[in-house]
Amino acid sequence: MRLAPTASVVLIVAGALAHVPVMMVLGLVAGIVELGHAAWERRGLRGVDYVRHLDTDRVGWGDEVGLTIEVWNRTGLPLPWVRADDDPAPGITVLDQPLVETDRIGDVLRNVWTLAPSERVFRHLRLVTDRRGVFTLGPVRLSGGDLFARPTTFEERGGIDRFIVRPRVVAAPELARPDRWGEIERARTGLSEDPSRFAGIRPWVPGDSIRRIHPRASARLRQPMVKRYEPSRDREVLIALDIQIETESSWSSAVNPDEVEALYVVAASLATSLERGHSAFGIVAAGYAHSTRKLASVAISDAPGQAGRVLDLLARLSTFPSASFERLLAIVRRSVRPGTVVIALTCREPDAFLRSFRLLERAGCHVVVLASGPDAVANARRARAAGFTARTAVLDGPWPSAGRLLVA
Amino acid sequence: MNRASRAPLLVRLAPLGLIVVAEAAWIAIVGGLIQEYSLRAPILGVVELGAFVLLGAIAANVLARRLRPGRWAVASILIVAAGTLAGILAAPDARAALEGPGGGLAAAVARHPGGLVAGLAVFRGFRHARLPLDEDALRHLFAGGAVVAIFGSLAGTLVAEPFRDRFLSDALGQVVLFAVTAVLGLALTRQLTAELEGAERWTPNTSWLGLVAIVVAITGFAVVPASTIASPLVELAIYLLLAALLVVGALIGWTRQTVAGLIAVVVVFVVIGIFLSMSPSESADPGSIGAGGGLPTGGDGGSGASAASAIPIEVVYGLAVVLVALIVGALAWYWAQGRGLAVVAPALETRFIDRSRGNEPSRPAPGWLARLGIHLSPGDAPNAYLALIRELAGKVGVERDAAETPREHAHRLRTSGTPALGLELLAADYALARFAGERLTPREHRRGVDRWRALRLRLSARSEEIRATAAAIELEKLDRGQRFERTMTGAAQPGDAPPTDVTPHG
């Protein structure tokens, strides 16, 4: 039995029996307040629609996500206030609107409206995140006020919205890949042209070989023309990402998250650079990507949007490894085609992986060790000493503010 | 930093005005009661006390921010003392007693004891110094003011006429004023507080404001006549109920609990009777109780002084005044503490009235007959379909699944043992009216209702068949299970070693 309605009835009855009009008056006023409360409790929030609209479901780190919250009072009752507490994932910040700390569920995105009957409101907010990842918004807890603005009902609605924040991408130079016969990509120089694939003719210029002159075309056009062939070079590149930063333990809690994020920025920048160079590329990493699989990978492809798929994977990827890098390289050896360039992107000393690299080379792959992190130079030197192609890939500053990726 | 409401100043000040009136109203009841007990007419009304409350609020708003907390506590005591003095001297008799020969503050208080509540009014004003008002403070005001009004009115009935009638009539008006202003002020404050919470631009919700103002105004005007009318009716109803309970109790027999309940009711009525009998009905001699008195003037030589009194009365009064001053200072200091709130910028938003729900077909709420399970015959084909679906709910095998469309549901039933096209036709009628917005002819409606009449019986029977079949299958499964269990348990004998797969391994 609720206290307030009982008290109003008691006041009315006691006032009538004791002939005290003041008690009757207070009882009647309390009764009217309770009647209003009951009516709004029954119909108030049930007729309120609450919908979130995200402008996009994936953005790059540092970009804003537009959030439009729609609330619609479909009832004929005016609502003095409707409060919506959305549960945001950690790391989400709402611009110009601080999150409100609550006892039950921690920080919430709180919005309050006052709604006339049938009033529909669209509120526009902007979200940013402090890191890459998959971020959720919801569920929402709705509460509303009655006729006298007293809190009435509380309702939790389940919808959850998700968006992906991809790692930051900085300007990166195109990785110089060795030219090779027989592939379909254009070579950096003309040395590796494939004479079996005729590409057209062009006017002769001094320095062109006489053996390349196209006699019939020259006769027809009355000037010397030389034949052009499709050049070729390595086509398939696989980035093997070593998530583990520390050498000692793969489950170390002392990992500096900024170092991991920097590694992801390097990988994302590299992927974008490869797409710009029209390469067929993919990525593989021993980490969890919001699934139960221990291996996260994007198959090698040169289809449009490949860089986006790689960036999505990097956004989802955990900051801790699910298996050792050696195991990952073993899986790579069994799955990639011979001739694939495997870029081993790691922050660790390569000594432990040299055997795996050799096995990969023996399987027909070309291994490029890309050393990153604070010891990149020393690690690259070790890899070169072991006979592998090795480069350093470091950012020119902390990952949130770096401007470019330096590859040497 | 305090958050500033984006509402216009007038809107922000409206709750303060209402709450000042509410505070003044309940304090006026207290003042009137004190005056009644000293057999004097009240001097300070709601308006005068409202001025004192407002003075307290303004003083706290201005001084509490400029003075250090300790100094503000001392200043608050002085302000309350000044307010009390001003309230006492508001009566001409009190001023005359103060200036007259042999007079003093005690004599002035004796002439106008109700003026003491002016200090209380100033003190209560301190509580409402900040905008927006504190919702908790207003809730406490409503509850506390109601309690004071009730007990004040009860106490007021114990004094002789004509003071009693005057006090009760004044108190009734003040209670109505208190209730109306407190409820409205609290509602406005809650709305303004909510506005500050969540980036709400100030949006005048005129429909809500108008509705609540009309409800409160009607309540204010109607509550007194309603109480007059309702009082004898409630009284009559209670007595009739009591008599009915006695009769019912005699019929069904008395138990220990019912006897205890009866005794409790009798005790309540006896208490009420005693209370009513205490109210004097005739006029009292004004001089018999309070003439010249009201407050004892001292313990040394006064006629009322007791020879056995060990503590002088001045010490008692002094201690009481010091205690009150300490409480005033402590609460004033506490109330002046800032409430740290963050600044929230107003969000960008678009508002409009969207009545597109009016395009949806009206779905009336089920009436009381429907809640009792009694369904009248539907008037048209769409309602016939809805009625049929409602009746089929919970019936095994024929119930419409939540994920099924009307057509899928009808098709499933037709192809699974109910070879009739009626439900599909009825579902088609419903789909035409509900989703295509087509208007059905009266003949189609009639046929739809006829189909409902036939299908409800047929499908109910089909559901019973399915239920019986399912029960038989379950029985058969159970029988098989028991046989299987008998077979398994028969193989193992007491004392046998447990199977290896359940042997604990070290």
Side-chain angles (χ1 to χ4, degrees):
Chain A
M1 189 181 292
R2 291 169 57 183
L3 180 64
T6 312
S8 69
V9 171
V10 168
L11 279 176
I12 291 171
V13 172
L17 293 178
H19 301 286
V20 181
V22 166
M23 291 174 79
M24 285 282 288
V25 165
L26 286 172
L28 286 170
V29 170
I32 288 168
V33 169
E34 283 305 311
L35 277 177
H37 185 76
W40 261 251
E41 188 174 38
R42 193 174 165 196
R43 296 196 171 196
L45 273 187
R46 285 188 194 169
V48 173
D49 287 355
Y50 181 87
V51 186
R52 285 182 298 266
H53 307 278
L54 287 169
D55 287 357
T56 177
D57 58 353
R58 54 201 70 213
V59 290
W61 183 86
D63 292 342
E64 296 172 2
V65 182
L67 168 67
T68 302
I69 297 177
E70 175 191 351
V71 60
W72 186 11
N73 177 16
R74 293 162 68 94
T75 67
L77 301 175
L79 298 172
W81 56 267
V82 175
R83 179 186 298 141
D85 286 346
D86 272 301
D87 187 9
I92 292 181
T93 306
V94 185
L95 294 180
D96 300 327
Q97 187 167 336
L99 300 179
V100 178
E101 191 177 340
T102 59
D103 296 334
R104 285 187 60 223
I105 50 171
D107 290 350
V108 296
L109 168 60
R110 174 164 290 175
N111 284 286
V112 183
W113 298 269
T114 177
L115 296 173
S118 301
E119 191 165 26
R120 196 170 185 179
V121 185
F122 292 86
R123 178 169 288 181
H124 307 285
L125 301 170
R126 292 170 298 152
L127 310 179
V128 290
T129 60
D130 58 357
R131 55 187 166 76
R132 65 173 180 96
V134 179
F135 293 89
T136 59
L137 195 61
V140 65
R141 290 158 188 81
L142 286 176
S143 52
D146 66 4
L147 175 62
F148 299 100
R150 200 161 50 136
T152 50
T153 46
F154 171 85
E155 196 176 316
E156 182 164 323
R157 297 190 184 176
I160 293 178
D161 290 306
R162 286 185 178 80
F163 61 96
I164 294 175
V165 177
R166 294 167 167 172
R168 187 158 186 262
V169 175
V170 297
E174 189 178 349
L175 283 182
R177 288 171 288 143
D179 293 346
R180 178 171 293 187
W181 292 100
E183 293 296 342
I184 60 171
E185 276 277 316
R186 186 174 290 274
R188 189 177 306 279
T189 66
L191 290 175
S192 301
E193 287 176 333
D194 186 353
S196 67
R197 286 186 292 203
F198 179 70
I201 55 172
R202 64 171 172 78
W204 178 88
V205 292
D208 283 345
S209 169
I210 294 177
R211 299 174 68 181
R212 298 184 67 167
I213 287 179
H214 196 302
R216 280 178 289 186
S218 301
R220 188 166 61 249
L221 297 173
R222 296 177 184 277
Q223 62 170 327
M225 304 297 290
V226 294
K227 289 179 270 190
R228 294 174 58 232
Y229 302 102
E230 286 289 352
S232 61
R233 60 173 170 161
D234 280 345
R235 182 166 176 247
E236 295 195 338
V237 179
L238 180 68
I239 303 170
L241 180 61
D242 179 17
I243 294 176
Q244 192 172 335
I245 300 293
E246 303 291 333
T247 310
E248 292 81 19
S249 166
S250 60
W251 298 98
S252 171
S253 59
V255 173
N256 183 0
D258 280 341
E259 282 186 32
V260 184
E261 290 301 320
L263 182 66
Y264 284 7
V265 171
V266 171
S269 306
L270 199 61
T272 313
S273 161
L274 288 169
E275 186 178 58
R276 207 164 43 242
H278 306 291
S279 302
F281 66 99
I283 191 169
V284 62
Y288 296 102
H290 283 248
S291 75
T292 53
R293 294 186 60 213
K294 292 179 84 174
L295 193 70
S297 65
V298 173
I300 295 172
S301 168
D302 59 354
Q306 176 72 355
R309 285 185 281 277
V310 171
L311 292 182
D312 284 352
L313 180 88
L314 289 171
R316 290 193 180 97
L317 211 50
S318 59
T319 53
F320 49 87
S322 58
S324 67
F325 193 48
E326 296 91 322
R327 184 173 163 76
L328 176 72
L329 293 175
I331 295 170
V332 168
R333 195 177 74 240
R334 288 197 297 270
S335 57
V336 296
R337 289 196 314 189
T340 304
V341 176
V342 177
I343 298 178
L345 179 56
T346 179
C347 290
R348 293 191 284 169
E349 293 176 6
D351 302 343
F353 321 126
L354 292 178
R355 185 172 173 275
S356 302
F357 291 157
R358 287 204 183 90
L359 290 173
L360 271 171
E361 295 266 6
R362 204 172 298 163
C365 299
H366 179 62
V367 176
V368 176
V369 179
L370 207 56
S372 186
D375 302 325
V377 177
N379 292 342
R381 193 178 298 132
R382 282 197 185 92
R384 277 191 214 106
F388 294 99
T389 307
R391 292 174 188 170
T392 59
V394 291
L395 298 170
D396 64 348
W399 72 267
S401 58
R404 57 188 301 113
L405 176 67
L406 305 173
V407 180
Chain B
M1 181 185 284
N2 283 328
R3 266 191 285 191
S5 171
R6 285 173 283 276
L9 183 66
L10 188 66
V11 176
R12 278 184 282 153
L13 288 178
L16 177 65
L18 292 165
I19 292 306
V20 163
V21 175
E23 290 277 8
W26 78 265
I27 294 172
I29 295 174
V30 178
L33 183 68
I34 295 172
Q35 286 290 97
E36 184 200 16
Y37 270 72
S38 63
L39 302 182
R40 294 175 188 280
I43 304 292
L44 296 178
V46 173
V47 177
E48 293 85 359
L49 288 170
F52 280 107
V53 175
L54 193 60
L55 184 72
I58 293 171
N61 185 277
V62 173
L63 294 178
R65 281 187 301 184
R66 297 183 181 177
L67 298 178
R68 286 186 299 183
R71 289 188 179 180
W72 161 241
V74 174
S76 66
I77 296 170
L78 296 177
I79 292 169
V80 169
T84 308
L85 191 62
I88 292 168
L89 296 181
D93 287 354
R95 288 198 295 273
L98 187 67
E99 293 164 357
L105 189 59
V109 171
R111 296 290 186 281
H112 183 211
L116 291 168
V117 296
L120 177 63
V122 173
F123 175 61
R124 285 298 303 171
F126 293 163
R127 190 73 179 94
H128 310 299
R130 286 166 182 260
L131 293 178
L133 300 176
D134 187 3
E135 191 184 326
D136 287 339
L138 303 193
R139 276 208 312 270
H140 297 159
L141 161 69
F142 188 66
V147 170
V148 168
I150 289 167
F151 284 101
S153 304
L154 288 172
T157 56
L158 302 178
V159 180
E161 296 289 0
F163 299 101
R164 185 178 67 165
D165 273 354
R166 173 165 184 170
F167 169 74
L168 289 179
S169 65
D170 285 352
L172 188 60
Q174 285 156 355
V175 155
V176 172
L177 196 61
F178 163 76
V180 165
T181 52
V183 166
L184 201 54
L186 186 53
L188 290 178
T189 301
R190 280 176 175 146
Q191 209 267 340
L192 281 174
T193 307
E195 174 227 348
L196 287 175
E197 273 188 343
E200 166 80 292
R201 283 178 185 278
W202 165 247
T203 312
N205 192 343
T206 48
S207 53
W208 170 72
L209 208 56
L211 183 63
V212 75
I214 289 170
V215 169
V216 169
I218 290 174
T219 305
F221 283 116
V223 77
V224 174
S227 69
T228 311
I229 296 166
S231 181
L233 294 178
V234 171
E235 201 173 356
L236 181 66
I238 294 292
Y239 289 139
L240 288 177
L241 191 63
L242 190 61
L245 281 176
L246 285 171
V247 172
V248 170
L251 287 175
I252 64 173
W254 295 102
T255 63
R256 186 184 293 268
Q257 286 80 13
T258 51
V259 170
L262 184 67
I263 291 171
V265 170
V266 170
V267 167
V268 168
F269 274 82
V270 167
V271 169
I272 290 173
I274 292 170
F275 173 76
L276 292 177
S277 67
M278 286 170 65
S279 305
S281 56
E282 69 281 357
S283 268
D285 177 11
S288 62
I289 298 176
L295 283 173
T297 52
D300 50 350
S303 59
S306 167
S309 176
I311 304 172
I313 194 71
E314 288 85 358
V315 175
V316 174
Y317 282 152
L319 285 175
V321 168
V322 168
L323 184 65
V324 169
L326 285 176
I327 292 172
V328 166
L331 285 175
W333 173 83
Y334 177 70
W335 291 341
Q337 300 303 303
R339 286 169 281 159
L341 297 169
V343 177
V344 178
L348 182 66
E349 66 181 25
T350 314
R351 285 174 172 268
F352 56 94
I353 300 296
D354 186 351
R355 298 189 196 280
S356 55
R357 65 192 170 87
N359 298 337
E360 298 171 5
S362 58
R363 278 179 278 179
W368 62 275
L369 277 174
R371 289 180 192 169
L372 294 174
I374 303 168
H375 299 287
L376 300 176
S377 178
D380 53 14
N383 280 321
Y385 178 76
L386 291 176
L388 183 66
I389 293 299
R390 192 172 53 232
E391 288 176 43
L392 297 182
K395 293 191 175 175
V396 180
V398 296
E399 182 184 22
R400 194 180 120 188
D401 190 68
E404 273 182 327
T405 64
R407 183 186 163 279
E408 288 168 349
H409 173 231
H411 180 74
R412 173 170 64 85
L413 292 193
R414 184 168 63 80
T415 54
S416 62
T418 316
L421 207 58
L423 182 57
E424 285 187 306
L425 294 173
L426 190 56
D429 285 345
Y430 172 74
L432 278 174
R434 173 74 177 84
F435 302 124
E438 294 284 338
R439 194 180 290 274
L440 302 179
T441 62
R443 191 176 173 199
E444 286 171 324
H445 282 304
R446 273 200 308 278
R447 282 194 301 205
V449 175
D450 290 343
R451 286 187 186 113
W452 163 76
R453 204 166 280 125
L455 284 168
R456 58 189 300 220
L457 301 175
R458 187 167 187 176
L459 292 176
S460 297
R462 173 65 187 150
S463 174
E464 289 302 320
E465 286 175 23
I466 294 171
R467 187 190 296 276
T469 311
I473 292 170
E474 285 298 319
L475 277 176
E476 190 179 352
K477 276 184 188 171
L478 185 65
D479 190 34
R480 276 186 201 159
Q482 282 171 348
R483 282 205 302 269
F484 181 68
E485 194 178 338
R486 278 199 300 274
T487 310
M488 291 301 289
T489 50
Q493 297 299 323
D496 286 355
T500 54
D501 59 340
V502 295
T503 305
H505 298 283

